[in-house]
């Protein structure tokens, strides 16, 4: 059935109209997607996209943070040792690592929208299955598959980045942390009510509901106009841009939308091209270290609360102390979180937004590199401060600041990575970085849940040292992306986009 032009404009999220071979007449004005995005400016479309994509972050945070609040319960139910509890988190991020590369490659070839939808369907399905896991082995396998699905959520950040005008990226992208905070607080709040009453299996089922609901609103998310143009689908890109201009009550640039030179897409070797080699290697180091620190803080907080690994537990036992029970000596003893533990987790988690205003100012005025260097250096310092013998309130304060700093680190590196690569390899760049990120997350549980029990100071020194290395890598990054237009295709890292308007 024929579709009217107006109806086609209203279904730009799903339309794929190919116009290969069409070129604007000589002398006619042309414009690029970058110029159209800047001309249209920020408006109602971006607010709607921000809320929808932000909701995907809520769902992702709930799935990732879930392990921290169910670990004490599965430890008790299946009588697990420390390494077995740590392995659960490690395998979640193993799934994330493997699928990050695959989904990033597919997103650069077949589109961000399709992969984002696929990842939500995948994650919701296996998350629900996890709640019926009959054994520890099944639980580990199913959470690994959930990690694979969650890895595709990064395409939502790419879609947001590719639609935002340059001057708003440094402000709007860090605000996405509000949604991660909301998801983290929501799962902790639910756990405090659901775990003691109807159990962790129902907690997992309830946590999967936001992801299922979001699948229903995916038709309102448009495919990236930059992606469509880079694949020669100019008509769909133009329809998308016209829809955005209409929603924002803005005007389009004069002329015809010009197509960039065709390049092969999603090639891994492009990340290691001499023009991007140093940037890619340093970004990978930073992603690995940031994830190591971030999930190290989360899991260390849970261990500190579950096992009382604070300074009181590091002092030698008194000679007059009573006998130690066999249960407390067992590596698989049951000690579920109490109300005070959940309260401390909520307070420390709230720290993830505490430095957001300063982080936004630093990103936009100091630049991405220096801002990341400063926050990584402060993260190293606060890891060491955890060894200071202080009160429960003091420990909560240190955890609060650590969560604020590691959150700021993630904000900055997400923005930098999305900005530094051109459209033809942006999703692959994010995917491979996400994979290296998960290597750090895979190692973190064995430091926070195994080594920390044996050597508290040794674990803290390791976390701090990694943060120092990341701070140096951030400071020496070869490209500063502050105020830099997004590149369409591969060119010199420091140059403007390879296609200019005529």
């Amino acid at each position: 059935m024929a579709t009217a032009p107006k109806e086609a404009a209203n279904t730009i999220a799903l339309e794929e109209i190919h116009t290969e071979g069409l070129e604007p007449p000589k002398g006619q004005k042309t414009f690029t997607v970058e110029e159209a995005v800047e001309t249209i400016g920020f408006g109602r479309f971006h607010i709607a996209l921000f809320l929808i994509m932000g909701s995907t972050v809520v769902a992702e945070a709930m799935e990732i943070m879930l392990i921290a609040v169910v670990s004490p319960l599965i430890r008790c139910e299946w009588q697990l040792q420390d390494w077995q509890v740590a392995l659960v988190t490690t395998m979640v991020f193993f799934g994330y690592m493997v699928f990050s590369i695959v989904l990033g490659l597919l997103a650069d070839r077949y589109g961000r929208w399709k992969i984002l939808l696929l990842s939500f369907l995948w994650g919701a399905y296996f998350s629900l299955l996890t709640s019926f896991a009959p054994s520890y082995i099944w639980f580990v396998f199913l959470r690994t598959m959930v990690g694979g699905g969650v890895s595709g959520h990064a395409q939502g950040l790419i879609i947001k980045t590719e639609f935002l005008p340059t001057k708003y990226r440094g402000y709007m992208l860090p605000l996405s942390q509000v949604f991660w905070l909301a998801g983290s607080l929501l799962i902790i709040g639910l756990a405090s009510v659901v775990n003691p009453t109807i159990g962790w299996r129902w907690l997992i089922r309830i946590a999967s509901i936001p992801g299922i609901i979001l699948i229903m609103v995916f038709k309102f998310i448009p495919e990236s106009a930059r992606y469509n143009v880079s694949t020669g689908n100019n008509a769909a890109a133009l329809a998308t841009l016209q829809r955005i201009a209409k929603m924002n009550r803005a005007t389009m640039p004069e002329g015809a939308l010009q197509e960039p030179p065709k390049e092969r897409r999603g090639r891994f070797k492009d990340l290691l091209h001499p023009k991007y080699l140093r940037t890619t290697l340093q970004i990978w180091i930073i992603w690995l270290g940031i994830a190591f620190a971030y999930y190290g803080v989360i899991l260390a907080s849970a261990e500190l609360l579950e096992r009382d690994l604070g300074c009181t537990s590091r002092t030698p036992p008194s000679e007059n102390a009573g006998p130690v029970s066999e249960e407390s000596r067992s590596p698989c003893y049951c000690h579920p979180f109490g109300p005070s533990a959940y309260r401390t987790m909520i307070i420390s988690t709230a720290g993830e937004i505490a430095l957001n205003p300063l982080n936004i100012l630093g990103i936009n005025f100091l630049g991405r590199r220096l801002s990341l260097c400063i926050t990584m250096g402060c993260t190293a310092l606060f890891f060491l401060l955890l060894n200071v013998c202080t009160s429960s309130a003091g420990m909560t304060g240190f955890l609060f600041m650590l969560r604020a700093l590691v959150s700021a680190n993630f904000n900055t590196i997400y923005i930098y990575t999305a900005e530094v690569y051109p459209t033809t390899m942006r999703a692959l760049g994010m995917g491979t970085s996400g994979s290296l990120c998960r290597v750090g997350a895979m190692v973190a549980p064995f430091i926070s849940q195994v080594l920390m029990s044996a050597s508290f100071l040794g674990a803290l020194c390791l976390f701090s040292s990694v943060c120092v290395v990341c701070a140096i890598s951030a400071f020496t990054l070869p490209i500063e992306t502050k105020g830099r237009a997004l590149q369409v295709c591969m060119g010199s890292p420091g140059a403007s986009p390879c296609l200019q308007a005529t």
Side-chain angles (χ1 to χ4, degrees):
M1 180 180 294
T3 305
K6 184 176 180 180
E7 293 175 336
N10 290 331
T11 56
I12 46 88
L14 301 177
E15 290 292 325
E16 290 190 10
I17 311 167
H18 294 275
T19 58
E20 295 179 5
L22 294 180
E23 295 182 1
K26 292 184 178 180
Q28 181 180 354
K29 289 185 177 181
T30 62
F31 63 90
T32 62
V33 173
E34 179 73 25
E35 290 170 334
V37 168
E38 297 296 332
T39 301
I40 294 170
F42 184 84
R44 291 188 298 174
F45 166 80
H46 298 93
I47 295 173
L49 182 66
F50 180 74
L51 292 175
I52 294 174
M53 291 292 95
S55 299
T56 69
V57 177
V58 172
E60 179 180 358
M62 292 181 71
E63 291 293 351
I64 295 297
M65 294 293 294
L66 186 69
I67 299 300
V69 293
V70 303
S71 289
L73 299 177
I74 63 171
R75 182 200 298 269
C76 179
E77 179 168 331
W78 289 316
Q79 293 292 289
L80 305 179
Q81 298 185 18
D82 289 342
W83 70 268
Q84 291 174 302
V85 177
L87 184 63
V88 175
T89 307
T90 295
M91 292 306 294
V92 169
F93 291 118
F94 175 76
Y96 198 120
M97 179 188 70
V98 173
F99 283 92
S100 282
I101 297 176
V102 175
L103 295 181
L105 182 64
L106 293 176
D108 274 332
R109 289 176 180 256
Y110 303 108
R112 285 78 159 106
W113 187 90
K114 295 175 183 176
I115 300 305
L116 186 60
L117 175 61
L118 173 65
S119 69
F120 263 88
L121 291 170
W122 180 285
Y125 174 72
F126 282 102
S127 182
L128 279 175
L129 286 184
T130 303
S131 66
F132 299 99
S135 65
Y136 169 72
I137 297 298
W138 270 107
F139 185 86
V140 171
F141 170 74
L142 292 171
R143 291 314 292 180
T144 302
M145 302 307 287
V146 172
V150 170
S151 68
H153 294 190
Q155 302 309 316
L157 175 72
I158 294 175
I159 290 175
K160 280 192 297 184
T161 302
E162 295 184 338
F163 277 122
L164 277 173
T166 302
K167 69 177 182 179
Y168 289 98
R169 291 201 302 263
Y171 294 96
M172 295 302 295
L173 295 180
L175 289 178
S176 300
Q177 190 62 32
V178 173
F179 295 99
W180 182 274
L181 172 65
S184 301
L185 292 177
L186 182 57
I187 194 65
I188 295 172
L190 285 172
S192 66
V193 176
V194 175
N195 279 347
T197 53
I198 54 179
W200 62 267
R201 294 179 186 273
W202 275 104
L203 177 65
I204 294 178
R205 291 163 194 159
I206 294 171
S208 66
I209 292 175
I212 296 172
I213 294 175
L214 279 170
I215 293 172
M216 303 177 186
V217 301
F218 265 60
K219 64 179 180 179
F220 300 109
I221 303 173
E223 179 57 272
S224 167
R226 296 177 192 270
Y227 168 79
N228 281 330
V229 167
S230 68
T231 57
N233 197 2
N234 279 24
L238 184 60
T240 301
L241 294 170
Q242 289 171 341
R243 173 79 177 278
I244 296 172
K246 183 178 180 180
M247 286 187 65
N248 288 2
R249 297 175 182 175
T251 58
M252 289 281 291
E254 294 182 3
L257 182 61
Q258 184 170 339
E259 183 179 341
K262 291 290 183 66
E263 289 196 1
R264 288 185 59 188
R265 307 181 53 74
R267 295 181 299 177
F268 182 81
K269 67 179 183 180
D270 287 343
L271 297 174
L272 303 179
H273 189 278
K275 295 176 181 178
Y276 286 97
L277 177 60
R278 180 180 161 191
T279 299
T280 296
L281 294 179
Q282 289 184 230
I283 283 177
W284 286 352
I285 292 172
I286 295 169
W287 272 96
L288 190 153
I290 287 177
F292 179 68
Y294 181 84
Y295 293 105
V297 171
I298 292 173
L299 297 172
S301 300
E303 287 297 299
L304 286 168
L305 296 171
E306 182 186 355
R307 298 195 177 201
D308 189 23
L309 293 178
C311 62
T312 54
S313 67
R314 298 196 300 272
T315 56
S318 169
E319 292 181 2
N320 298 325
V324 180
S325 68
E326 184 65 29
E327 181 186 30
S328 64
R329 283 199 300 263
S330 171
C332 50
Y333 69 97
C334 296
H335 189 186
F337 292 148
S340 61
Y342 284 117
R343 187 165 53 249
T344 300
M345 290 184 74
I346 289 174
I347 293 172
S348 62
T349 300
E352 295 207 1
I353 200 174
L355 292 182
N356 238 22
L358 289 177
N359 187 217
I360 292 173
L361 289 175
I363 287 171
N364 287 284
F365 291 97
L366 298 179
R368 282 56 161 156
R369 294 181 300 184
L370 183 56
S371 178
L372 182 57
C373 176
I374 292 172
T375 54
M376 287 302 309
C378 291
T379 305
L381 173 63
F382 272 89
F383 264 118
L384 294 179
L385 289 177
L386 283 181
N387 194 54
V388 175
C389 191
T390 183
S391 64
S392 176
M395 179 63 70
T396 301
F398 287 150
L399 291 174
F400 181 90
M401 283 304 300
L402 264 175
R403 290 293 288 269
L405 288 165
V406 294
S407 173
N409 296 334
F410 254 129
N411 278 341
T412 309
I413 195 59
Y414 259 116
I415 294 171
Y416 183 87
T417 306
E419 291 177 334
V420 76
Y421 291 116
T423 302
T424 52
M425 51 194 275
R426 186 171 296 123
L428 181 59
M430 287 293 294
T432 53
S433 297
S435 293
L436 267 294
C437 164
R438 304 314 153 185
V439 172
M442 288 167 62
V443 177
F446 289 95
I447 307 302
S448 294
Q449 296 176 311
V450 180
L451 177 60
M452 189 167 281
S453 298
S455 175
F456 190 77
L457 180 59
L460 296 181
C461 287
L462 181 57
F463 281 122
S464 183
S465 300
V466 170
C467 290
V468 170
V469 172
C470 290
I472 295 171
S473 295
F475 186 74
T476 57
L477 281 167
I479 304 172
E480 174 56 70
T481 61
K482 174 190 168 188
R484 175 177 177 262
L486 293 181
Q487 290 187 306
V488 177
C489 55
M490 192 168 176
S492 176
S496 57
C498 54
L499 178 68
Q500 299 291 340
T502 58

